[in-house]
Amino acid sequence: MRSTMMDVPLLVSSVLRHAAQYHGETEVVSRTVEGPIHRTTYAETWRRTQRLANALAGRGLHIGDRVGTLAWNGYRHLEIYYAAAGAGYVCHTVNPRLFPEQIVFIINHAADKVLFIEPSFVDLLQTISDKLTTVEAVVVMTDAAHMPVSWTLSGLLCYEALLAEQPEQFEWPVLDENEAAGLCYTSGTTGDPKGVLYSHRSMVLHAIAVCLPDVFALSACSTVMPVVPMFHVNAWGLPYAAAMVGAKLVLPGPKLDGASLHELMTAEDVTVTAGVPTIWMGLLDWVEAQGQTFGRLQRVGVGGSACPPVMFQRFRDQGVDVVHAWGMTETSPVGLVNRPKAGDGARSAVDEAAFSAKQGRPIFGMEFRVVDAAGNEVPHDGVASGLMLVRGPWVAAGYYNAERGVDDAGSSWFETGDVVNMDSRGYVQIVDRSKDVIKSGGEWISSIDLENIALSHPSIQEAAVVGRPDERWTERPLLVVVRRPNSNANEDELLAHYEGKVARWWVPDSVVFVEELPRTATGKLLKTRIRELYGPEPR
Ligand code: ADP
């Protein structure tokens, strides 16, 4: 029997409309590429978004056409998010930190018709523009005064000029909620990047989940600063979630160093922020060195790679609560969040460290299975590990324009490629990515565990553990570290630091000291490169 309820689709445009109607005065504050801090409100953002939607429609785009962005976190990027998706196009965020060839591949594969770029990317664009086969118009996200000198000759469009000539009213289409609204490519550490097409429905449902008390706990009293870039899985849904609850939004632009983040965070009274561990290491180092505090900051979301327990402790010492979360481009991204349950009570320091290393428990909407090679569920005892499979309304059923299309994948389980264990209370710990786990003597060694221990040594700033081929054991762990300035910890001291913390055969065989570790464009350790550089032959 059909229900008697209204069939109102879940649409991205409805999120900003709500924010404009009922939180119209709430601020959106951005650090701009041009330099100054820019202040606007949800009401003004809505008006400008309607102008932009008119501009896009006026270019003859069709429903479903892709609109690309090469941009940092800022108010114009926010307007493009809502205008492109709301008008029925697909907002395709491209990571500007990728290699130019990867950017070309992704834009051509997505067949972006219009491309929005920050003024600082005009040079980059010039080096790749002759290779872009589908882009019909490039809009520079600035005003006429900050356009490149010869812009009128080069065919570039000016964002503010485009908006100025448009009306402030736009007829938002009533779309099917399963239509595509956003597109994001995986970083392609294992082959060409793959496109995940988010729907209006998946974006809105995921954003509601992000607001929940045991996720980022957002409300109209929050001030949210997504440090995670808007090109990295839609800044984990925060630009939608904040607008949905009417939280003040603070967008840090291109400046992600400790001093700049701290300045903006304290000046704007940020209460919630989120990003990858690498960024937080930089911020923590800066705040501690300067003897500063985090102001009104209550919670920091950490995900994308494992949050080392020592990072939990450093934030906690500053009175900031850490929300460790797991996700993937294919899962919109949030799937697991590490929050305590009622009755957990106080833990000893040792138990607290062990708990904080876990990625967390499934949030509603996400189903999880942990299976062995034969596909059988492994015991949920916190020890037995297996491959993690997920399913849910914001999990990709396939990739855009790929062999494995959406239709043939349906709603079967998605293989995450992560090796995990789950305990009896539903908390999951990522042992490793299946391709990074170290196979030694027929057993698995978790590189994440070994990295976390190295990072708990006061002399270590960054650590990576990779498997080095070994005739007898198949692979043996190798520790590669960056020391803190003015520290001279040696190999013996670091290896002794593992004693009593892991089984003897887990202790790395040797240590390589380096100046820096290669990272992906989203700040994750580039294990493939580290293996190439240091893995093959013993020193
Ligand atoms: P890519 O797959 O291109 O690196 P994603 O951002 O989609 O980009 O990465 C998803 C992967 O990142 C997960 O499969 C997992 O291996 C890792 N990851 C994400 N969050 C965490 C976390 N909190 N702890 C450990 N690993 C994580």
mmCIF file with all atom_site columns, all heavy atoms in Angstrom, residues 248-270:
data_model
loop_
_atom_site.group_PDB
_atom_site.id
_atom_site.type_symbol
_atom_site.label_atom_id
_atom_site.label_alt_id
_atom_site.label_comp_id
_atom_site.label_asym_id
_atom_site.label_entity_id
_atom_site.label_seq_id
_atom_site.pdbx_PDB_ins_code
_atom_site.Cartn_x
_atom_site.Cartn_y
_atom_site.Cartn_z
_atom_site.occupancy
_atom_site.B_iso_or_equiv
_atom_site.pdbx_formal_charge
_atom_site.auth_seq_id
_atom_site.auth_comp_id
_atom_site.auth_asym_id
_atom_site.auth_atom_id
_atom_site.pdbx_PDB_model_num
ATOM 1   N N   . LYS A 1 248 ? 27.370 28.583 11.237 1.00 0.00 ? 248 LYS A N   1
ATOM 2   C CA  . LYS A 1 248 ? 28.283 29.518 10.566 1.00 0.00 ? 248 LYS A CA  1
ATOM 3   C C   . LYS A 1 248 ? 29.378 28.705 9.874  1.00 0.00 ? 248 LYS A C   1
ATOM 4   O O   . LYS A 1 248 ? 29.869 27.723 10.426 1.00 0.00 ? 248 LYS A O   1
ATOM 5   C CB  . LYS A 1 248 ? 28.884 30.473 11.608 1.00 0.00 ? 248 LYS A CB  1
ATOM 6   C CG  . LYS A 1 248 ? 29.956 31.403 11.063 1.00 0.00 ? 248 LYS A CG  1
ATOM 7   C CD  . LYS A 1 248 ? 30.428 32.378 12.154 1.00 0.00 ? 248 LYS A CD  1
ATOM 8   C CE  . LYS A 1 248 ? 31.731 33.046 11.791 1.00 0.00 ? 248 LYS A CE  1
ATOM 9   N NZ  . LYS A 1 248 ? 32.234 33.928 12.856 1.00 0.00 ? 248 LYS A NZ  1
ATOM 10  N N   . LEU A 1 249 ? 29.743 29.130 8.666  1.00 0.00 ? 249 LEU A N   1
ATOM 11  C CA  . LEU A 1 249 ? 30.723 28.391 7.871  1.00 0.00 ? 249 LEU A CA  1
ATOM 12  C C   . LEU A 1 249 ? 31.969 29.245 7.705  1.00 0.00 ? 249 LEU A C   1
ATOM 13  O O   . LEU A 1 249 ? 31.885 30.419 7.327  1.00 0.00 ? 249 LEU A O   1
ATOM 14  C CB  . LEU A 1 249 ? 30.084 28.078 6.506  1.00 0.00 ? 249 LEU A CB  1
ATOM 15  C CG  . LEU A 1 249 ? 30.640 26.959 5.646  1.00 0.00 ? 249 LEU A CG  1
ATOM 16  C CD1 . LEU A 1 249 ? 30.811 25.660 6.408  1.00 0.00 ? 249 LEU A CD1 1
ATOM 17  C CD2 . LEU A 1 249 ? 29.709 26.737 4.446  1.00 0.00 ? 249 LEU A CD2 1
ATOM 18  N N   . VAL A 1 250 ? 33.125 28.662 7.987  1.00 0.00 ? 250 VAL A N   1
ATOM 19  C CA  . VAL A 1 250 ? 34.404 29.369 7.833  1.00 0.00 ? 250 VAL A CA  1
ATOM 20  C C   . VAL A 1 250 ? 35.257 28.579 6.847  1.00 0.00 ? 250 VAL A C   1
ATOM 21  O O   . VAL A 1 250 ? 35.520 27.390 7.065  1.00 0.00 ? 250 VAL A O   1
ATOM 22  C CB  . VAL A 1 250 ? 35.125 29.495 9.196  1.00 0.00 ? 250 VAL A CB  1
ATOM 23  C CG1 . VAL A 1 250 ? 36.461 30.202 9.039  1.00 0.00 ? 250 VAL A CG1 1
ATOM 24  C CG2 . VAL A 1 250 ? 34.245 30.250 10.190 1.00 0.00 ? 250 VAL A CG2 1
ATOM 25  N N   . LEU A 1 251 ? 35.652 29.219 5.753  1.00 0.00 ? 251 LEU A N   1
ATOM 26  C CA  . LEU A 1 251 ? 36.340 28.516 4.666  1.00 0.00 ? 251 LEU A CA  1
ATOM 27  C C   . LEU A 1 251 ? 37.771 29.048 4.545  1.00 0.00 ? 251 LEU A C   1
ATOM 28  O O   . LEU A 1 251 ? 37.973 30.239 4.296  1.00 0.00 ? 251 LEU A O   1
ATOM 29  C CB  . LEU A 1 251 ? 35.549 28.695 3.360  1.00 0.00 ? 251 LEU A CB  1
ATOM 30  C CG  . LEU A 1 251 ? 34.105 28.175 3.460  1.00 0.00 ? 251 LEU A CG  1
ATOM 31  C CD1 . LEU A 1 251 ? 33.264 28.609 2.269  1.00 0.00 ? 251 LEU A CD1 1
ATOM 32  C CD2 . LEU A 1 251 ? 34.088 26.658 3.584  1.00 0.00 ? 251 LEU A CD2 1
ATOM 33  N N   . PRO A 1 252 ? 38.769 28.171 4.748  1.00 0.00 ? 252 PRO A N   1
ATOM 34  C CA  . PRO A 1 252 ? 40.149 28.662 4.923  1.00 0.00 ? 252 PRO A CA  1
ATOM 35  C C   . PRO A 1 252 ? 40.915 28.978 3.650  1.00 0.00 ? 252 PRO A C   1
ATOM 36  O O   . PRO A 1 252 ? 42.089 29.344 3.738  1.00 0.00 ? 252 PRO A O   1
ATOM 37  C CB  . PRO A 1 252 ? 40.815 27.519 5.692  1.00 0.00 ? 252 PRO A CB  1
ATOM 38  C CG  . PRO A 1 252 ? 40.070 26.302 5.271  1.00 0.00 ? 252 PRO A CG  1
ATOM 39  C CD  . PRO A 1 252 ? 38.663 26.727 5.021  1.00 0.00 ? 252 PRO A CD  1
ATOM 40  N N   . GLY A 1 253 ? 40.302 28.827 2.461  1.00 0.00 ? 253 GLY A N   1
ATOM 41  C CA  . GLY A 1 253 ? 40.995 29.187 1.229  1.00 0.00 ? 253 GLY A CA  1
ATOM 42  C C   . GLY A 1 253 ? 42.255 28.378 1.029  1.00 0.00 ? 253 GLY A C   1
ATOM 43  O O   . GLY A 1 253 ? 42.333 27.210 1.425  1.00 0.00 ? 253 GLY A O   1
ATOM 44  N N   . PRO A 1 254 ? 43.294 29.003 0.437  1.00 0.00 ? 254 PRO A N   1
ATOM 45  C CA  . PRO A 1 254 ? 44.487 28.227 0.098  1.00 0.00 ? 254 PRO A CA  1
ATOM 46  C C   . PRO A 1 254 ? 45.484 28.080 1.248  1.00 0.00 ? 254 PRO A C   1
ATOM 47  O O   . PRO A 1 254 ? 46.447 27.350 1.123  1.00 0.00 ? 254 PRO A O   1
ATOM 48  C CB  . PRO A 1 254 ? 45.108 29.048 -1.033 1.00 0.00 ? 254 PRO A CB  1
ATOM 49  C CG  . PRO A 1 254 ? 44.689 30.450 -0.761 1.00 0.00 ? 254 PRO A CG  1
ATOM 50  C CD  . PRO A 1 254 ? 43.369 30.396 -0.044 1.00 0.00 ? 254 PRO A CD  1
ATOM 51  N N   . LYS A 1 255 ? 45.270 28.771 2.361  1.00 0.00 ? 255 LYS A N   1
ATOM 52  C CA  . LYS A 1 255 ? 46.304 28.804 3.417  1.00 0.00 ? 255 LYS A CA  1
ATOM 53  C C   . LYS A 1 255 ? 46.017 27.777 4.500  1.00 0.00 ? 255 LYS A C   1
ATOM 54  O O   . LYS A 1 255 ? 45.187 28.020 5.384  1.00 0.00 ? 255 LYS A O   1
ATOM 55  C CB  . LYS A 1 255 ? 46.385 30.203 4.009  1.00 0.00 ? 255 LYS A CB  1
ATOM 56  C CG  . LYS A 1 255 ? 46.978 31.210 3.044  1.00 0.00 ? 255 LYS A CG  1
ATOM 57  C CD  . LYS A 1 255 ? 47.489 32.383 3.811  1.00 0.00 ? 255 LYS A CD  1
ATOM 58  C CE  . LYS A 1 255 ? 48.349 33.268 2.936  1.00 0.00 ? 255 LYS A CE  1
ATOM 59  N NZ  . LYS A 1 255 ? 48.701 34.494 3.624  1.00 0.00 ? 255 LYS A NZ  1
ATOM 60  N N   . LEU A 1 256 ? 46.725 26.639 4.430  1.00 0.00 ? 256 LEU A N   1
ATOM 61  C CA  . LEU A 1 256 ? 46.443 25.545 5.355  1.00 0.00 ? 256 LEU A CA  1
ATOM 62  C C   . LEU A 1 256 ? 47.599 25.290 6.325  1.00 0.00 ? 256 LEU A C   1
ATOM 63  O O   . LEU A 1 256 ? 47.669 24.247 6.971  1.00 0.00 ? 256 LEU A O   1
ATOM 64  C CB  . LEU A 1 256 ? 46.113 24.270 4.565  1.00 0.00 ? 256 LEU A CB  1
ATOM 65  C CG  . LEU A 1 256 ? 44.952 24.421 3.563  1.00 0.00 ? 256 LEU A CG  1
ATOM 66  C CD1 . LEU A 1 256 ? 44.658 23.111 2.863  1.00 0.00 ? 256 LEU A CD1 1
ATOM 67  C CD2 . LEU A 1 256 ? 43.677 24.947 4.233  1.00 0.00 ? 256 LEU A CD2 1
ATOM 68  N N   . ASP A 1 257 ? 48.523 26.247 6.446  1.00 0.00 ? 257 ASP A N   1
ATOM 69  C CA  . ASP A 1 257 ? 49.614 26.113 7.408  1.00 0.00 ? 257 ASP A CA  1
ATOM 70  C C   . ASP A 1 257 ? 49.077 26.395 8.818  1.00 0.00 ? 257 ASP A C   1
ATOM 71  O O   . ASP A 1 257 ? 48.014 27.013 8.987  1.00 0.00 ? 257 ASP A O   1
ATOM 72  C CB  . ASP A 1 257 ? 50.737 27.100 7.061  1.00 0.00 ? 257 ASP A CB  1
ATOM 73  C CG  . ASP A 1 257 ? 50.235 28.526 7.103  1.00 0.00 ? 257 ASP A CG  1
ATOM 74  O OD1 . ASP A 1 257 ? 49.502 28.937 6.180  1.00 0.00 ? 257 ASP A OD1 1
ATOM 75  O OD2 . ASP A 1 257 ? 50.522 29.223 8.080  1.00 0.00 ? 257 ASP A OD2 1
ATOM 76  N N   . GLY A 1 258 ? 49.831 25.943 9.831  1.00 0.00 ? 258 GLY A N   1
ATOM 77  C CA  . GLY A 1 258 ? 49.385 26.057 11.217 1.00 0.00 ? 258 GLY A CA  1
ATOM 78  C C   . GLY A 1 258 ? 49.028 27.479 11.622 1.00 0.00 ? 258 GLY A C   1
ATOM 79  O O   . GLY A 1 258 ? 47.973 27.729 12.205 1.00 0.00 ? 258 GLY A O   1
ATOM 80  N N   . ALA A 1 259 ? 49.897 28.441 11.291 1.00 0.00 ? 259 ALA A N   1
ATOM 81  C CA  . ALA A 1 259 ? 49.672 29.820 11.730 1.00 0.00 ? 259 ALA A CA  1
ATOM 82  C C   . ALA A 1 259 ? 48.397 30.396 11.113 1.00 0.00 ? 259 ALA A C   1
ATOM 83  O O   . ALA A 1 259 ? 47.578 31.029 11.798 1.00 0.00 ? 259 ALA A O   1
ATOM 84  C CB  . ALA A 1 259 ? 50.877 30.684 11.347 1.00 0.00 ? 259 ALA A CB  1
ATOM 85  N N   . SER A 1 260 ? 48.195 30.168 9.815  1.00 0.00 ? 260 SER A N   1
ATOM 86  C CA  . SER A 1 260 ? 47.014 30.730 9.133  1.00 0.00 ? 260 SER A CA  1
ATOM 87  C C   . SER A 1 260 ? 45.725 30.096 9.647  1.00 0.00 ? 260 SER A C   1
ATOM 88  O O   . SER A 1 260 ? 44.725 30.784 9.865  1.00 0.00 ? 260 SER A O   1
ATOM 89  C CB  . SER A 1 260 ? 47.106 30.521 7.622  1.00 0.00 ? 260 SER A CB  1
ATOM 90  O OG  . SER A 1 260 ? 48.305 31.036 7.131  1.00 0.00 ? 260 SER A OG  1
ATOM 91  N N   . LEU A 1 261 ? 45.758 28.767 9.818  1.00 0.00 ? 261 LEU A N   1
ATOM 92  C CA  . LEU A 1 261 ? 44.547 28.093 10.306 1.00 0.00 ? 261 LEU A CA  1
ATOM 93  C C   . LEU A 1 261 ? 44.206 28.576 11.713 1.00 0.00 ? 261 LEU A C   1
ATOM 94  O O   . LEU A 1 261 ? 43.042 28.826 12.030 1.00 0.00 ? 261 LEU A O   1
ATOM 95  C CB  . LEU A 1 261 ? 44.747 26.578 10.322 1.00 0.00 ? 261 LEU A CB  1
ATOM 96  C CG  . LEU A 1 261 ? 44.750 25.877 8.963  1.00 0.00 ? 261 LEU A CG  1
ATOM 97  C CD1 . LEU A 1 261 ? 45.021 24.389 9.139  1.00 0.00 ? 261 LEU A CD1 1
ATOM 98  C CD2 . LEU A 1 261 ? 43.424 26.076 8.224  1.00 0.00 ? 261 LEU A CD2 1
ATOM 99  N N   . HIS A 1 262 ? 45.247 28.704 12.547 1.00 0.00 ? 262 HIS A N   1
ATOM 100 C CA  . HIS A 1 262 ? 45.011 29.128 13.919 1.00 0.00 ? 262 HIS A CA  1
ATOM 101 C C   . HIS A 1 262 ? 44.442 30.539 13.965 1.00 0.00 ? 262 HIS A C   1
ATOM 102 O O   . HIS A 1 262 ? 43.489 30.821 14.712 1.00 0.00 ? 262 HIS A O   1
ATOM 103 C CB  . HIS A 1 262 ? 46.311 29.053 14.728 1.00 0.00 ? 262 HIS A CB  1
ATOM 104 C CG  . HIS A 1 262 ? 46.132 29.441 16.152 1.00 0.00 ? 262 HIS A CG  1
ATOM 105 N ND1 . HIS A 1 262 ? 46.409 30.698 16.623 1.00 0.00 ? 262 HIS A ND1 1
ATOM 106 C CD2 . HIS A 1 262 ? 45.641 28.739 17.207 1.00 0.00 ? 262 HIS A CD2 1
ATOM 107 C CE1 . HIS A 1 262 ? 46.123 30.745 17.903 1.00 0.00 ? 262 HIS A CE1 1
ATOM 108 N NE2 . HIS A 1 262 ? 45.655 29.576 18.291 1.00 0.00 ? 262 HIS A NE2 1
ATOM 109 N N   . GLU A 1 263 ? 44.975 31.404 13.146 1.00 0.00 ? 263 GLU A N   1
ATOM 110 C CA  . GLU A 1 263 ? 44.513 32.797 13.116 1.00 0.00 ? 263 GLU A CA  1
ATOM 111 C C   . GLU A 1 263 ? 43.022 32.864 12.772 1.00 0.00 ? 263 GLU A C   1
ATOM 112 O O   . GLU A 1 263 ? 42.226 33.506 13.467 1.00 0.00 ? 263 GLU A O   1
ATOM 113 C CB  . GLU A 1 263 ? 45.327 33.570 12.075 1.00 0.00 ? 263 GLU A CB  1
ATOM 114 C CG  . GLU A 1 263 ? 44.954 35.033 11.978 1.00 0.00 ? 263 GLU A CG  1
ATOM 115 C CD  . GLU A 1 263 ? 45.542 35.678 10.735 1.00 0.00 ? 263 GLU A CD  1
ATOM 116 O OE1 . GLU A 1 263 ? 45.278 35.178 9.623  1.00 0.00 ? 263 GLU A OE1 1
ATOM 117 O OE2 . GLU A 1 263 ? 46.242 36.666 10.870 1.00 0.00 ? 263 GLU A OE2 1
ATOM 118 N N   . LEU A 1 264 ? 42.640 32.146 11.707 1.00 0.00 ? 264 LEU A N   1
ATOM 119 C CA  . LEU A 1 264 ? 41.241 32.183 11.261 1.00 0.00 ? 264 LEU A CA  1
ATOM 120 C C   . LEU A 1 264 ? 40.326 31.502 12.288 1.00 0.00 ? 264 LEU A C   1
ATOM 121 O O   . LEU A 1 264 ? 39.247 32.010 12.629 1.00 0.00 ? 264 LEU A O   1
ATOM 122 C CB  . LEU A 1 264 ? 41.141 31.478 9.899  1.00 0.00 ? 264 LEU A CB  1
ATOM 123 C CG  . LEU A 1 264 ? 39.838 31.621 9.137  1.00 0.00 ? 264 LEU A CG  1
ATOM 124 C CD1 . LEU A 1 264 ? 39.547 33.081 8.811  1.00 0.00 ? 264 LEU A CD1 1
ATOM 125 C CD2 . LEU A 1 264 ? 39.883 30.808 7.838  1.00 0.00 ? 264 LEU A CD2 1
ATOM 126 N N   . MET A 1 265 ? 40.790 30.383 12.784 1.00 0.00 ? 265 MET A N   1
ATOM 127 C CA  . MET A 1 265 ? 39.996 29.593 13.733 1.00 0.00 ? 265 MET A CA  1
ATOM 128 C C   . MET A 1 265 ? 39.674 30.390 15.002 1.00 0.00 ? 265 MET A C   1
ATOM 129 O O   . MET A 1 265 ? 38.537 30.397 15.476 1.00 0.00 ? 265 MET A O   1
ATOM 130 C CB  . MET A 1 265 ? 40.847 28.359 14.078 1.00 0.00 ? 265 MET A CB  1
ATOM 131 C CG  . MET A 1 265 ? 40.310 27.419 15.077 1.00 0.00 ? 265 MET A CG  1
ATOM 132 S SD  . MET A 1 265 ? 41.548 26.100 15.318 1.00 0.00 ? 265 MET A SD  1
ATOM 133 C CE  . MET A 1 265 ? 41.198 25.061 13.944 1.00 0.00 ? 265 MET A CE  1
ATOM 134 N N   . THR A 1 266 ? 40.656 31.085 15.520 1.00 0.00 ? 266 THR A N   1
ATOM 135 C CA  . THR A 1 266 ? 40.416 31.820 16.761 1.00 0.00 ? 266 THR A CA  1
ATOM 136 C C   . THR A 1 266 ? 39.671 33.129 16.488 1.00 0.00 ? 266 THR A C   1
ATOM 137 O O   . THR A 1 266 ? 38.789 33.516 17.258 1.00 0.00 ? 266 THR A O   1
ATOM 138 C CB  . THR A 1 266 ? 41.735 32.086 17.521 1.00 0.00 ? 266 THR A CB  1
ATOM 139 O OG1 . THR A 1 266 ? 42.700 32.566 16.596 1.00 0.00 ? 266 THR A OG1 1
ATOM 140 C CG2 . THR A 1 266 ? 42.265 30.842 18.175 1.00 0.00 ? 266 THR A CG2 1
ATOM 141 N N   . ALA A 1 267 ? 39.976 33.779 15.360 1.00 0.00 ? 267 ALA A N   1
ATOM 142 C CA  . ALA A 1 267 ? 39.299 35.045 15.057 1.00 0.00 ? 267 ALA A CA  1
ATOM 143 C C   . ALA A 1 267 ? 37.800 34.817 14.840 1.00 0.00 ? 267 ALA A C   1
ATOM 144 O O   . ALA A 1 267 ? 36.977 35.676 15.178 1.00 0.00 ? 267 ALA A O   1
ATOM 145 C CB  . ALA A 1 267 ? 39.913 35.688 13.816 1.00 0.00 ? 267 ALA A CB  1
ATOM 146 N N   . GLU A 1 268 ? 37.435 33.679 14.277 1.00 0.00 ? 268 GLU A N   1
ATOM 147 C CA  . GLU A 1 268 ? 36.027 33.419 13.945 1.00 0.00 ? 268 GLU A CA  1
ATOM 148 C C   . GLU A 1 268 ? 35.337 32.523 14.968 1.00 0.00 ? 268 GLU A C   1
ATOM 149 O O   . GLU A 1 268 ? 34.211 32.081 14.735 1.00 0.00 ? 268 GLU A O   1
ATOM 150 C CB  . GLU A 1 268 ? 35.925 32.801 12.545 1.00 0.00 ? 268 GLU A CB  1
ATOM 151 C CG  . GLU A 1 268 ? 36.452 33.682 11.428 1.00 0.00 ? 268 GLU A CG  1
ATOM 152 C CD  . GLU A 1 268 ? 35.746 35.039 11.362 1.00 0.00 ? 268 GLU A CD  1
ATOM 153 O OE1 . GLU A 1 268 ? 34.545 35.111 11.687 1.00 0.00 ? 268 GLU A OE1 1
ATOM 154 O OE2 . GLU A 1 268 ? 36.413 36.026 10.994 1.00 0.00 ? 268 GLU A OE2 1
ATOM 155 N N   . ASP A 1 269 ? 36.005 32.191 16.054 1.00 0.00 ? 269 ASP A N   1
ATOM 156 C CA  . ASP A 1 269 ? 35.412 31.339 17.095 1.00 0.00 ? 269 ASP A CA  1
ATOM 157 C C   . ASP A 1 269 ? 34.912 30.005 16.553 1.00 0.00 ? 269 ASP A C   1
ATOM 158 O O   . ASP A 1 269 ? 33.765 29.585 16.819 1.00 0.00 ? 269 ASP A O   1
ATOM 159 C CB  . ASP A 1 269 ? 34.260 32.074 17.790 1.00 0.00 ? 269 ASP A CB  1
ATOM 160 C CG  . ASP A 1 269 ? 34.764 33.146 18.733 1.00 0.00 ? 269 ASP A CG  1
ATOM 161 O OD1 . ASP A 1 269 ? 35.937 33.065 19.154 1.00 0.00 ? 269 ASP A OD1 1
ATOM 162 O OD2 . ASP A 1 269 ? 33.987 34.082 19.033 1.00 0.00 ? 269 ASP A OD2 1
ATOM 163 N N   . VAL A 1 270 ? 35.756 29.335 15.789 1.00 0.00 ? 270 VAL A N   1
ATOM 164 C CA  . VAL A 1 270 ? 35.381 28.031 15.223 1.00 0.00 ? 270 VAL A CA  1
ATOM 165 C C   . VAL A 1 270 ? 35.184 27.019 16.353 1.00 0.00 ? 270 VAL A C   1
ATOM 166 O O   . VAL A 1 270 ? 35.999 26.942 17.278 1.00 0.00 ? 270 VAL A O   1
ATOM 167 C CB  . VAL A 1 270 ? 36.477 27.551 14.234 1.00 0.00 ? 270 VAL A CB  1
ATOM 168 C CG1 . VAL A 1 270 ? 36.267 26.090 13.837 1.00 0.00 ? 270 VAL A CG1 1
ATOM 169 C CG2 . VAL A 1 270 ? 36.493 28.456 13.001 1.00 0.00 ? 270 VAL A CG2 1
#
